């Protein structure tokens, strides 16, 4: 049974069910609406680019599944994935699409698409979003397709960093030294207490989006600056912050598991961040961890999964963790009650990364002067393009994000997402670096 069949069985009781995949990346934006924010921590990558990450769903869907897109795929990219056998599902798209709207919001404004989705309601087809917010609940109501997951209010509640911190403390799991601040007035003492322990301190919004709702405080002077800004709200104002010590030279990990509708907990994968010269290069898998660390992750899965089920949550769970330089495992920094990037790589891993092979999931940031076709990207990559024959190569798993921010008024920021597959972790990193070099040459050549 492959990953998608396991997921369908866990969430619907039917491994042969059909999913309508709605890949609403950064659903946290909806969960965080109206919640307290840190000053200066809300800077976000262009929403137009983030919203086109929905294209990743085509590599997850099975033959009987449907993927909802904001717009049709680049024909050359679609042909490439189809030729690999990496894309086998059906795609539909919104006839009314706005760059700054999520794919869910586009679907709700597209009567033709809604009609197509209603026609899929056969009793065995489920709406499967990346994460569930009120917009996805509205889409389920508008189409008649049941959601394969928990209510939005539950998803939001368990996704908070305060929830994670309280759960870690209650369960006796190893926690990064830190404190919860419910009000602005509690922040001063929390900052002083953590800074006294030495080193930097990180302050996190409970419902911050994709690592951006956080501020790193270097010293007492930095703490005073932050306090001056946030104390203007008043001592009793809501803060909903987590203040923690910064663990230097830690290895960043991410693992995922599934909580089934029966309360079962099933571990899926763990990946490790790769840095070179302090620059993030991507996430490597498979990961070789000390036995004690792997045991700790598996134990944490059971503990966290059971607690989430008790809160009413079923579905995919992604957990950020750290392995300290002294070997200490911090098994839960935060819980993501949704799909994560690893979810969209599981089918690729099963098909193209057998035992003995390695992969690096990479994001390559570019600044094109004009939109590019996938044909141009493939030509620039040349012999690096993964062909599915078992050799090394770069498999592009999202192309739409390259041109999503193009306005026709000069240069713009774009991204290419790729899985670099090779015989070793170092070789996969080498592929990533060469792919970035070639793609930069492409965009720097301009028109």
């Amino acid at each position: 049974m492959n990953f998608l069949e396991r997921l369908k069985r866990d969430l619907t009781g039917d491994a042969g069910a059909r999913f309508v995949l709605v890949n609403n990346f950064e659903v946290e934006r909806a969960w965080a609406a109206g919640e307290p924010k840190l000053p200066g921590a809300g800077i976000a990558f262009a929403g137009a680019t983030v919203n086109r990450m929905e294209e990743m769903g085509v590599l997850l869907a099975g033959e009987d599944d449907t993927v909802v897109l904001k717009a049709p795929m680049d024909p050359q990219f679609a042909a490439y994935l189809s030729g690999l056998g990496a894309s086998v599902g059906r795609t539909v798209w919104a006839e009314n699409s706005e760059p700054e709207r999520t794919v869910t919001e586009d679907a709700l404004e597209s009567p033709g698409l809604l009609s197509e989705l209603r026609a899929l309601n056969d009793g065995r087809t489920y709406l499967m979003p990346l994460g569930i917010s009120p917009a996805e609940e509205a889409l389920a109501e508008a189409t008649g397709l049941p959601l394969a997951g928990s209510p939005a209010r539950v998803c939001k509640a368990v996704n908070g960093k305060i929830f994670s911190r309280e759960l870690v403390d209650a369960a006796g799991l190893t926690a990064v030294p830190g404190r919860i601040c419910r009000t602005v007035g509690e922040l001063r003492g929390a900052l002083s207490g953590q800074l006294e322990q030495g080193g930097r301190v990180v302050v996190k919004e409970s419902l911050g989006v994709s690592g951006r709702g956080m501020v790193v405080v270097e010293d007492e002077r930095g703490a005073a600056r932050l306090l001056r800004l946030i104390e203007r709200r008043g001592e009793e104002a809501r803060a909903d912050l987590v203040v923690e010590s910064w663990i230097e030279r830690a290895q960043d990990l991410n693992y995922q598991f599934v909580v089934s509708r029966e309360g079962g907990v099933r571990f899926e994968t763990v990946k490790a961040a790769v840095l070179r010269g302090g620059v993030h290069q991507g996430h490597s898998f498979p990961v070789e961890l000390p036995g004690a660390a792997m045991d700790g992750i598996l134990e944490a899965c059971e503990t966290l999964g059971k607690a989430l089920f008790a809160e009413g949550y079923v579905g995919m769970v992604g957990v950020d963790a750290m392995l300290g330089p002294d070997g200490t495992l911090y098994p839960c920094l935060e819980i993501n009650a949704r799909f994560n990037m690893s979810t969209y790589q599981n089918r690729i891993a099963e098909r193209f990364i057998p035992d003995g092979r390695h992969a690096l999931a990479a994001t390559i940031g570019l600044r094109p002067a004009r939109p590019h076709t996938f044909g141009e990207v493939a030509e620039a990559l040349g012999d690096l393009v993964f062909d599915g024959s078992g050799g090394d190569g770069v498999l592009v798993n999202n192309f739409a994000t390259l041109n999503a921010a193009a306005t026709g008024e000069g240069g713009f920021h774009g991204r290419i997402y790729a899985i670099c597959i090779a015989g070793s972790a170092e070789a996969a990193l080498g592929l990533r670096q060469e792919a970035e070099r070639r793609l930069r040459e492409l965009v720097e050549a301009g028109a």
Side-chain angles (χ1 to χ4, degrees):
M1 190 177 292
N2 63 33
F3 165 73
L4 201 59
E5 291 169 338
R6 295 193 298 272
L7 185 63
K8 290 175 179 179
R9 178 199 60 194
D10 288 342
L11 300 189
T12 73
D14 178 6
R18 287 174 281 275
F19 276 170
V20 176
L21 293 162
V22 181
N23 306 294
N24 53 321
F25 278 82
E26 294 206 345
V27 63
E28 292 97 335
R29 291 184 181 185
W31 292 333
E35 297 295 331
K37 301 290 190 297
L38 281 166
I43 299 171
F45 200 86
T49 302
V50 169
N51 290 334
R52 285 316 320 265
M53 291 172 68
E54 104 290 5
E55 190 178 65
M56 286 188 183
V58 300
L59 290 105
L60 178 59
E63 291 182 0
D64 296 325
D65 299 323
T66 300
V67 183
V68 180
L69 299 176
K70 287 175 65 66
M73 297 174 66
D74 175 289
Q76 294 166 314
F77 183 49
Y80 167 68
L81 294 181
S82 179
L84 287 177
S87 173
V88 297
R90 174 191 176 214
T91 58
V92 295
W93 50 87
E95 72 267 24
N96 295 320
S97 182
E98 295 290 340
E100 297 298 327
R101 288 198 307 228
T102 68
V103 63
T104 309
E105 292 165 340
D106 275 351
L108 287 167
E109 296 297 326
S110 298
L113 174 58
L114 290 175
S115 179
E116 284 189 80
L117 297 181
R118 288 189 196 104
L120 299 176
N121 188 0
D122 59 0
R124 294 187 68 193
T125 301
Y126 296 80
L127 205 62
M128 183 72 260
L130 174 146
I132 298 174
S133 75
E136 287 66 50
E137 291 180 327
L139 184 59
E141 183 175 353
T143 60
L145 294 170
L147 283 162
S150 301
R153 59 176 177 76
V154 173
C155 297
K156 174 180 176 176
V158 302
N159 207 73
K161 296 176 183 64
I162 287 179
F163 175 87
S164 300
R165 178 89 200 183
E166 290 177 333
L167 174 52
V168 166
D169 290 342
L173 299 174
T174 302
V176 175
R179 306 185 193 183
I180 292 169
C181 301
R182 295 283 187 182
T183 66
V184 170
E186 295 173 350
L187 181 59
R188 183 178 294 276
L191 282 171
S192 296
Q194 294 310 123
L195 285 169
E196 286 173 1
Q197 297 184 31
R200 295 184 288 174
V201 170
V202 60
V203 183
K204 306 175 184 177
E205 298 170 0
S206 183
L207 286 164
V209 180
S210 297
R212 289 189 295 273
M214 57 184 286
V215 173
V216 177
V217 176
E218 300 285 346
D219 49 30
E220 290 287 354
R221 182 178 298 179
R225 282 196 299 269
L226 177 61
L227 286 164
R228 278 197 300 273
L229 292 170
I230 200 168
E231 285 180 343
R232 295 172 184 171
R233 303 175 189 174
E235 290 283 311
E236 298 304 315
R238 276 182 64 206
D240 288 354
L241 300 170
V242 173
V243 179
E244 293 179 339
S245 297
W246 184 275
I247 307 297
E248 300 288 351
R249 300 183 307 282
Q251 183 179 22
D252 291 324
L253 304 173
N254 178 276
Y255 60 93
Q256 58 176 339
F257 60 90
V258 181
V259 180
S260 80
R261 65 177 192 162
E262 304 298 332
V265 181
R266 180 171 51 76
F267 170 79
E268 275 290 344
T269 58
V270 59
K271 295 179 181 176
V274 176
L275 288 86
R276 285 295 184 273
V279 178
H280 181 74
Q281 301 292 313
H283 283 84
S284 178
F285 59 101
V287 180
E288 292 184 9
L289 293 174
M294 195 65 230
D295 290 343
I297 286 174
L298 294 176
E299 291 170 7
C301 281
E302 287 294 323
T303 299
L304 299 173
K306 286 180 169 55
L308 288 169
F309 184 72
E311 295 289 329
Y313 182 79
V314 297
M316 287 297 308
V317 182
V319 181
D320 291 340
M322 284 193 308
L323 189 61
D326 61 354
T328 300
L329 175 70
Y330 302 94
C332 179
L333 306 181
E334 66 175 89
I335 292 168
N336 294 304
R338 54 169 174 76
F339 285 8
N340 59 18
M341 294 293 280
S342 291
T343 311
Y344 293 95
Q345 297 152 11
N346 283 343
R347 189 168 174 272
I348 296 173
E350 289 178 338
R351 184 173 178 83
F352 298 119
I353 310 171
D355 290 345
R357 302 288 286 168
H358 294 263
L360 181 72
T363 306
I364 299 175
L366 301 165
R367 188 169 174 78
R370 62 169 177 82
H372 290 272
T373 66
F374 180 74
E376 290 177 290
V377 168
E379 183 177 357
L381 291 174
D383 59 350
L384 298 186
V385 175
F386 183 73
D387 63 8
S389 65
D392 296 359
V394 177
L395 195 168
V396 175
N397 62 322
N398 189 303
F399 173 73
T401 48
L402 177 62
N403 299 318
T407 62
E409 300 177 358
F412 55 92
H413 291 284
R415 297 172 176 171
I416 287 282
Y417 289 86
I419 311 295
C420 303
I421 303 168
S424 70
E426 281 300 316
L429 177 59
L431 275 177
R432 185 235 185 274
Q433 293 170 333
E434 177 61 14
E436 181 171 9
R437 186 189 70 78
R438 295 187 188 187
L439 291 173
R440 289 196 184 281
E441 284 186 353
L442 170 68
V443 301
E444 286 167 5

